[in-house]
Amino acid sequence: MIAGFIVALFLYINPKTTTILEIPFLKKLAIDLGIFYIPFVILVITSASNAVNITDGLDGLAIGCIVLTSVAYAGMSYITGHFVFADYLGVYYLPEAAE
């Protein structure tokens, strides 16, 4: 949770980031989290790390899940970095996200 707090604080203070939460594929829905952005980031980072810990267990088979989610994240980052795809699908366009 401390690492999540450090990352959340850095993202909140950084002027290049925004606290607006946009839901993919819903064009008009954008929620400005404001100061609640910090607990949201802490929750996401802590939940993601704990989910991998629970999935891995003692046998070390979390790599299959990690590969699938990595491919999904790579696809979403490519879509958000490509203006035509982002406009068509209604996701937020982030220049240089596909790099």
Side-chain angles (χ1 to χ4, degrees), residues 7-99:
V7 170
L9 197 59
F10 173 75
L11 289 175
Y12 187 72
I13 293 172
N14 191 357
K16 292 184 179 182
T17 59
T18 180
T19 59
I20 295 175
L21 177 66
E22 293 194 9
I23 310 298
F25 308 114
L26 299 177
K27 295 181 181 183
K28 304 289 182 187
L29 185 60
I31 303 167
D32 189 8
L33 295 176
I35 194 70
F36 294 109
Y37 183 74
I38 294 174
F40 177 73
V41 171
I42 293 171
L43 178 72
V44 168
I45 290 176
T46 306
S47 301
S49 65
N50 201 18
V52 170
N53 188 21
I54 290 170
T55 303
D56 191 29
L58 295 175
D59 52 8
L61 294 176
I63 193 66
C65 298
I66 290 173
V67 168
L68 293 175
T69 54
S70 298
V71 168
Y73 281 133
M76 284 301 294
S77 67
Y78 179 74
I79 289 171
T80 56
H82 195 279
F83 180 75
V84 177
F85 291 155
D87 186 46
Y88 178 74
L89 293 173
V91 286
Y92 188 72
Y93 172 66
L94 293 170
E96 301 176 4
E99 296 179 3

